[in-house]
Amino acid sequence: MVNRLGILSVFLSILIVSACSSASNVGESDVGNAKSAEMKTKVVFWDLFSGGDGAVMTEIVKEFNETHPNIEVEKITQEWGEYYTKLTTSVLGNKAPDLGVSHATRVLQLSTEGVIQPLDEEAARNGIDFSDFAGTSIEVTTFDGKHYAVPIDYHALLLFWNKPLAEKYGVLDENGKPIFKNYDEFVSMLLKIKETGGDIMPLAINGNGTHPFRFWYSVYKQMGGGDIYNSNQNKATIDPEIGLKSLKAVYDLFHTHKVISPGIKKVDEVFQSEKAVFMINGTWAVNNTLNGLKDKLDVMEFPNLFGTPAVYADSHTFILPKNPRRDQKTADAAMTFVKWVTDNGWKWSKAGHLPTTNKVLESEELKKQPLRDKYKEEVKQMVFLPPNPKVWFASYSQLSDVFDALWINQTTPEEALKNIEQVINEALK
Amino acid sequence: MALTDTELARRTAGGKMKRKISEYFSYYLLLLPFVFFYGAFTLYPLVHGFIVSFYDWKILGEKQFIGLQNYIKIFHDSVFYSSMWHTILFVLISTPVIVVAGFLFACIVHQPLRGKTVYRLVFFVPIVLSVSVVASVWSAVLDSHTGMLNSIIKLFGSKGEILWLSHPTLAWLAVIVITLWWTVGFNMILYLAGLQEIPDELYEAAKMDGANAWKSLLYITIPALNRITVLITFLQIIASFKIFSQVYLVTQGGPAGATRTIIQYIYEEAFKKYSFGPASAMSYIFCFVLLIISMIQLRISKERE
C-alpha cells in the first residue's frame, strides 16, 4: 500500500514539474513549427492603439495580411496606460513581440533600459530610407548615429467645434472659423457662449490624466518658454516667469472665467452628445468624432493664443524590441510591414494622425480625406518633449497629480509651478 | 492533509506506535505538488522580494547592493506617507460601515419576509462580479458630465454638475459606496450563517420573559454572533488594507492623488518607474503592518476561546 502510494505521488510530482517546464517551451516550439512550415512568416506585433485609432490599425493589418500571402502579422493591442510596462516586462521575460510601437519621446528611455535595439541594418535590407521622413521624430529617435525607430505619424492637440452650435452662438466668422486672434479674444468668445448658452459648455477638455499637462505645455511654448527640463543636468529648467504666466492663463479658463468645467473624464462623450461647443482633443479623436457628429464637426490647429504657434506633439514609431527568438526572416517580414505602412501612410492617417513622410503629406489620398487640409499645417508648429533616458513625463502620474490639483482649484498657479519643478527634479535625480 | 496531521499528532502523543519515517514517506511525497507550487509562487517571491528591497534593482542591467537606502528613501517620501494614510483612512471608515451593513442586510434577509430569497440574491450578486465590471458600471453612474446620477439630480432642477470623482472627499465617498455595494454580500452571508445557528428557543424564552425585539437583538443576537463579528471584522480590515483595483479603475488614484492607496503606489513605483528596490521595501513595510494586525486578531480570538 505504502509503496503504491509512493509511486503514485512520485508520478504526480513528475507530471506537474514536466507540465510546467513544457509550458515554458511552447514559444520556442512555435517558432520551430513556423520554420519547418516555411509557408508563412508570423510577426507578433504589439501596439497601444486602444482608442479610436485602434480600428484603423486593425484594418491596416488585415489589408497587409491579405496582400502579403507569405507574412502573417498578428496584432495584439495593449491598453495605452499599461503598454510600456508590458513591453518592458516581456523583454525581461524573454517573451517580447517581434515588432512594437513606441512614442518618439519614449525611445531614448527604452534604448537606455535595453528594451529595444537599433534597426538600421533591418531597415536598409528592406528598403526603408530614413531621409524620406520629415520633422523631428527621426532626430529624437537617433542616438550615436543609430536609428532606433521608424516614425508612422505625428499626433498633436487640435481645436474641434460643433458647427451648428457655434453658429447658433455667433462665434464663427464668414469663413466659418472661430472669431479669435489671441487669448483675450478667445476668452471673450467663450464667455459669449457661456452667457447665453445655459447648460452648454463653451469648451471641453479632459480634466485628468495627460491632457491638462499637454494643454499647459502648448501654452507655455506659445509664450516662448524653453525646455522644461535638462536631461544632461537632470533638473527642471522651467522659465519661472513664463511658467507662472502660462499656468495662470490656463487656470483662468477653468476658475476665473469658468469657461471650461473641471472634472471632465470622458471628453469624447461630452462633445459627441453636443453638450459642448468647442473641444480640445488630439488628432487620434478625429476619426471617432467624425463618425459621431458627421458634417456637424469642424476642426482646426491648436489655437495660437500667444503669438508663437506651438502645440504639444509626439510621434508613434515602430520599434524592434530585443528578442533573441526573432530570426532574420521574421525581422525582415516585420520591416516589410513597417515599410508598407509608412509608404501607405495616408491609410494610417485615417485615424486622424498626420503622416511622417513629405511624399504622403502631399499625396492625393491624404487630400481626399475629410478635414485633413484644415490641420495639415500643424506639422510645422509641433513641439516635442525633450527626450530623456529616465522618465517619460507625458504619462507620469505624479506630474498629472499637480495639474489635477490645479484644475480642481486645490492649489494656486504659484504652488503648481513649484510642485512641477519638484516632481521633475525628484524624478530625474 | 489536516486530517493526516492531527492523526499524526494523536499517534505520536499516544506513543502507542513508534513508526519509522519511511512509513510516512508516501504522505510527504503526496505533499510534494503543493510544496512545489507553494515554494515557487509564494516562498520564492517572498524571499526574493526581500532581497530586492536591499538593492538598486534595475529592470534590465546591473543590480547593486545598497543596504538600507531604499528604506531610508521611502521614509523621506511624502507620497509614501500620504498613500499609507489614505489606506489607513479607508480601513478606519470602510470597516465599520461594511461590517455593520453586512449585519443589517443579514438581519433583513433572515426575517420571514415574502421573497427573501430574492433579497438574498440581490444583496449577494454584486460580489460575483469582476472588478472591471464593477468599475465600468460605477464610472458610468458617477461620471460628472455624462453619468446617470448627475442626470437624475438634474431632473430635479439642480444646476451644474456634482464632481463625484473629481472632489477629494466625494471621491472617497464614491470609493466607499462602490466597495460597500460590491463586497457587502460576503459579510452578509457569514452573518446569515451565524444567525441561522442561534436556537429559536432563546428568542422564545426571552419573549416569555417580556423582552422586546430590541432587547432580543441586544442581549441574544449580538452576543451570540460575537465570534463571527471578530472574524468578519478582521477579514474586513485585511481586505480593506489591500484596496487597489476598484480605486485604480474608477479614480486612478485621483483627483490629485487624493485616493492613491499604498498598493497603487507600490505598483506605480515598481511597474511604471521600474524602481523595484523602493517598491519592494514598501511592500515589506506594508506586510509588516498586516502581520501585526493578524497577530492582534489571533490574540483576540484566542482570548475569547
Side-chain angles (χ1 to χ4, degrees):
Chain A
M1 175 66 190
V2 169
N3 268 340
R4 254 188 242 163
L5 261 179
I7 291 163
L8 179 71
S9 49
V10 168
F11 176 71
L12 270 175
S13 310
I14 291 170
L15 196 73
I16 287 163
V17 172
S18 63
C20 289
S21 59
S22 71
S24 66
N25 284 333
V26 165
E28 284 156 37
S29 62
D30 269 359
V31 173
N33 286 343
K35 264 185 207 159
S36 62
E38 291 287 339
M39 290 292 288
K40 275 193 174 189
T41 311
K42 191 171 156 188
V43 176
V44 178
F45 167 48
W46 280 17
D47 74 19
L48 44 64
F49 304 120
S50 50
D53 42 10
V56 180
M57 188 49 87
T58 305
E59 275 302 305
I60 290 177
V61 170
K62 199 176 148 211
E63 196 185 328
F64 176 84
N65 284 339
E66 280 165 6
T67 50
H68 295 73
N70 298 327
I71 301 173
E72 192 198 341
V73 174
E74 188 195 357
K75 180 177 89 106
I76 299 170
T77 302
Q78 308 286 359
E79 205 272 320
W80 195 93
E82 311 296 331
Y83 173 79
Y84 290 106
T85 304
K86 294 207 169 154
L87 182 68
T88 308
T89 44
S90 76
V91 172
L92 192 69
N94 197 17
K95 293 271 183 285
D98 301 312
L99 180 68
V101 163
S102 168
H103 288 85
T105 53
R106 174 97 188 199
V107 168
L108 176 58
Q109 190 185 343
L110 291 179
S111 73
T112 312
E113 287 165 350
V115 175
I116 56 171
Q117 61 167 73
L119 37 72
D120 293 86
E121 280 175 34
E122 289 81 359
R125 258 202 327 261
N126 294 282
I128 294 170
D129 183 355
F130 288 101
S131 63
D132 287 345
F133 295 91
T136 27
S137 189
I138 288 287
E139 277 164 47
V140 300
T141 55
T142 307
F143 319 110
D144 302 329
K146 287 181 188 145
H147 293 93
Y148 281 83
V150 180
I152 24 175
D153 67 44
Y154 286 105
H155 54 277
L157 295 179
L158 302 169
L159 184 67
F160 298 69
W161 67 92
N162 182 314
K163 271 195 280 191
L165 280 181
E167 271 161 21
K168 186 176 154 196
Y169 296 109
V171 292
L172 298 181
D173 62 17
E174 62 274 18
N175 299 323
K177 284 258 192 173
I179 42 162
F180 68 90
K181 295 266 177 308
N182 53 40
Y183 179 75
D184 290 335
E185 288 178 21
F186 186 62
V187 171
S188 28
M189 176 187 84
L190 297 175
L191 281 174
K192 193 174 167 190
I193 300 169
K194 195 187 154 199
E195 276 151 23
T196 48
D199 249 6
I200 293 287
M201 282 177 248
L203 176 62
I205 176 169
N206 262 345
N208 66 336
T210 57
H211 285 206
F213 167 69
R214 296 171 179 192
F215 188 20
W216 167 73
Y217 188 74
S218 307
V219 171
Y220 172 78
K221 284 286 173 183
Q222 291 192 351
M223 289 182 172
D227 283 350
I228 58 170
Y229 49 82
N230 183 317
S231 295
N232 297 325
Q233 294 166 8
N234 286 335
K235 65 169 192 187
T237 52
I238 304 172
D239 186 316
E241 202 184 315
I242 298 177
L244 186 61
K245 234 171 75 185
S246 52
L247 281 169
K248 234 183 127 0
V250 187
Y251 172 88
D252 283 345
L253 293 176
F254 281 89
H255 296 293
T256 312
H257 311 304
K258 298 189 187 336
V259 288
I260 309 178
S261 13
I264 298 176
K265 280 172 183 270
K266 299 172 180 167
V267 73
D268 302 272
E269 258 179 58
V270 168
F271 189 68
Q272 285 186 38
S273 55
E274 305 198 46
K275 287 178 180 169
V277 182
F278 289 95
M279 165 173 82
I280 288 179
N281 205 340
T283 46
W284 52 89
V286 172
N287 187 33
N288 244 1
T289 318
L290 192 62
N291 286 340
L293 286 181
K294 308 259 161 22
D295 350 320
K296 286 181 187 172
L297 177 70
D298 210 343
V299 60
M300 64 178 272
E301 296 110 23
F302 185 79
N304 176 7
L305 303 173
F306 297 97
T308 319
V311 60
Y312 173 98
D314 210 321
S315 166
H316 292 123
T317 66
F318 284 117
I319 44 147
L320 287 181
K322 278 195 183 159
N323 180 353
R325 295 184 293 119
R326 174 183 54 222
D327 52 17
Q328 186 172 333
K329 200 176 156 199
T330 313
D332 286 344
M335 292 317 263
T336 307
F337 174 67
V338 169
K339 182 163 166 49
W340 188 81
V341 175
T342 46
D343 282 351
N344 297 288
W346 56 273
K347 284 188 207 283
W348 175 232
S349 75
K350 277 185 195 165
H353 307 306
L354 290 167
T356 44
T357 61
N358 287 322
K359 207 177 90 194
V360 180
L361 258 171
E362 298 307 326
S363 68
E364 285 304 313
E365 285 97 341
L366 187 73
K367 278 178 196 150
K368 271 184 230 154
Q369 284 173 35
L371 302 174
R372 293 309 180 283
D373 52 320
K374 305 211 173 184
Y375 62 90
K376 205 175 82 172
E377 294 301 306
E378 184 151 87
V379 179
K380 291 170 187 156
Q381 36 180 294
M382 292 182 170
V383 279
F384 279 31
L385 274 177
N388 151 21
K390 281 187 184 160
V391 186
W392 193 48
F393 287 105
S395 169
Y396 188 64
S397 60
Q398 269 138 291
L399 193 61
S400 308
D401 283 356
V402 176
F403 286 94
D404 258 18
L406 185 66
W407 303 160
I408 60 168
N409 215 358
Q410 226 177 32
T411 52
T412 62
E414 286 83 2
E415 289 165 333
L417 182 63
K418 263 188 217 145
N419 294 341
I420 296 170
E421 282 175 343
Q422 199 192 335
V423 166
I424 294 179
N425 284 332
E426 193 61 38
L428 293 179
K429 221 195 259 176
Chain B
M1 248 168 285
L3 256 179
T4 330
D5 283 349
T6 43
E7 197 193 3
L8 201 87
R10 189 172 57 76
R11 286 188 190 173
T12 342
K16 273 183 189 172
M17 283 184 252
K18 218 179 178 184
R19 293 203 175 187
K20 287 175 201 162
I21 190 94
S22 64
E23 288 186 41
Y24 297 115
F25 184 63
S26 59
Y27 297 138
Y28 288 116
L29 273 178
L30 279 173
L31 273 175
L32 252 183
F34 169 75
V35 171
F36 174 77
F37 282 110
Y38 189 74
F41 296 109
T42 307
L43 285 181
Y44 172 71
L46 213 65
V47 175
H48 187 71
F50 193 59
I51 295 169
V52 170
S53 74
F54 297 103
Y55 275 81
D56 179 12
W57 195 276
K58 299 250 164 47
I59 186 159
L60 295 158
E62 282 191 15
K63 282 100 174 132
Q64 198 187 352
F65 183 78
I66 52 166
L68 285 173
Q69 275 189 44
N70 287 327
Y71 289 89
I72 294 166
K73 188 183 166 213
I74 56 176
F75 280 120
H76 287 96
D77 180 359
S78 61
V79 184
F80 170 70
Y81 287 108
S82 67
S83 311
M84 201 71 192
W85 168 240
H86 295 153
T87 312
I88 292 170
L89 193 74
F90 177 76
V91 172
L92 290 177
I93 297 173
S94 71
T95 307
V97 170
I98 300 176
V99 171
V100 171
F103 174 69
L104 291 179
F105 285 151
C107 288
I108 294 171
V109 300
H110 187 55
Q111 300 297 318
L113 295 169
R114 272 184 73 182
K116 69 178 175 186
T117 328
V118 176
Y119 289 119
R120 282 180 195 185
L121 193 72
V122 167
F123 291 143
F124 186 73
V125 134
I127 202 159
V128 304
L129 298 176
S130 79
V131 65
S132 45
V133 175
V134 172
S136 309
V137 168
W138 281 94
S139 300
V141 170
L142 294 174
D143 190 89
S144 50
H145 295 84
T146 56
M148 191 181 81
L149 187 58
N150 274 353
S151 307
I152 294 174
I153 291 173
K154 276 198 169 175
L155 285 183
F156 291 97
S158 147
K159 288 216 164 147
E161 286 81 18
I162 302 172
L163 305 179
W164 294 110
L165 302 175
S166 306
H167 184 283
T169 316
L170 291 179
W172 269 120
L173 185 71
V175 167
I176 288 168
V177 169
I178 293 168
T179 313
L180 176 76
W181 179 82
W182 183 31
T183 60
V184 72
F186 182 69
N187 291 353
M188 183 194 80
I189 289 293
L190 288 183
Y191 266 126
L192 190 62
L195 282 173
Q196 284 166 350
E197 276 184 9
I198 304 174
D200 284 340
E201 295 86 54
L202 286 179
Y203 291 105
E204 280 164 25
K207 213 172 182 182
M208 279 194 205
D209 288 342
N212 58 21
W214 172 245
K215 290 249 158 99
S216 299
L217 180 78
L218 216 56
Y219 294 108
I220 299 173
T221 316
I222 293 177
L225 292 173
N226 224 331
R227 278 186 55 160
I228 225 159
T229 304
V230 172
L231 175 77
I232 289 177
T233 306
F234 279 95
L235 284 179
Q236 186 60 52
I237 289 175
I238 304 271
S240 288
F241 260 112
K242 295 200 299 198
I243 181 173
F244 167 59
S245 32
Q246 66 267 47
V247 186
Y248 191 65
L249 291 173
V250 176
T251 70
Q252 295 84 39
T259 57
R260 179 182 284 119
T261 60
I262 186 67
I263 294 192
Q264 183 181 341
Y265 191 48
I266 292 171
Y267 170 73
E268 285 173 353
E269 281 290 300
F271 294 104
K272 299 275 171 176
K273 286 167 73 181
Y274 308 121
S275 305
F276 285 98
S280 303
M282 279 193 276
S283 307
Y284 277 87
I285 293 170
F286 185 54
C287 176
F288 185 68
V289 172
L290 290 187
L291 207 66
I292 291 175
I293 293 167
S294 306
M295 276 159 63
I296 297 173
Q297 182 211 354
L298 280 180
R299 177 64 60 83
I300 290 181
S301 26
K302 236 181 207 165
E303 271 173 15
R304 284 184 188 272
E305 272 170 24

